[in-house]
Amino acid sequence: KMAAKLLIIGAGATGSLTACLLTRSIPDLSIAVWEKARGTGGRMTTYRSLDSTDHVDLGAQYITRYKTPFMEELKTQLFQELIDYKVLIAFNGTIEDEPPVNEDV
């Protein structure tokens, strides 16, 4: 019996998270992630000037929160791991013109 193989196109947030979740839930699955850019992150990337003195974060600046038991558990397990490895940085500020979070969603 051959091991199942899976190719994920794109190493942005969705592709990377999908690979992580599948690796955890199906350990025998062989997963390859292909990315066309120089690095991972997709739209969540940082552009650095040629002299490396300036940088700007491009694309998605935050991840919208959906408050369901499943998403809260996912956040606890995965987002905290990403924060621990300094892949994500928790944002506790205010986003201008952002509507308040509906706690019932």
Side-chain angles (χ1 to χ4, degrees), residues 54-102:
D54 297 312
H55 70 275
V56 62
D57 293 325
L58 304 172
Q61 298 299 314
Y62 60 92
I63 298 171
T64 303
R65 178 177 73 152
Y66 295 100
K67 192 171 178 105
T68 65
F70 172 76
M71 290 305 291
E72 289 298 306
E73 181 66 23
L74 180 66
K75 180 189 76 168
T76 300
Q77 292 178 1
L78 295 173
F79 287 177
Q80 188 59 51
E81 183 177 331
L82 293 172
I83 290 169
D84 292 345
Y85 283 100
K86 296 185 179 16
V87 173
L88 292 178
I89 297 172
F91 177 75
N92 297 315
T94 302
I95 298 171
E96 212 171 299
D97 295 327
E98 178 74 8
V101 173
N102 182 349

Side-chain angles (χ1 to χ4, degrees), residues 12-77:
T14 300
S16 298
L17 182 59
T18 299
C20 176
L21 292 172
L22 287 172
T23 299
R24 289 180 178 184
S25 61
I26 311 170
D28 295 335
L29 180 63
S30 175
I31 300 174
V33 180
W34 288 1
E35 174 57 49
K36 70 173 180 164
R38 291 182 302 176
T40 61
R43 293 185 302 134
M44 294 177 58
T45 188
T46 300
Y47 171 80
R48 290 176 178 77
S49 64
L50 294 176
D51 62 6
S52 297
T53 57
D54 297 312
H55 70 275
V56 62
D57 293 325
L58 304 172
Q61 298 299 314
Y62 60 92
I63 298 171
T64 303
R65 178 177 73 152
Y66 295 100
K67 192 171 178 105
T68 65
F70 172 76
M71 290 305 291
E72 289 298 306
E73 181 66 23
L74 180 66
K75 180 189 76 168
T76 300
Q77 292 178 1

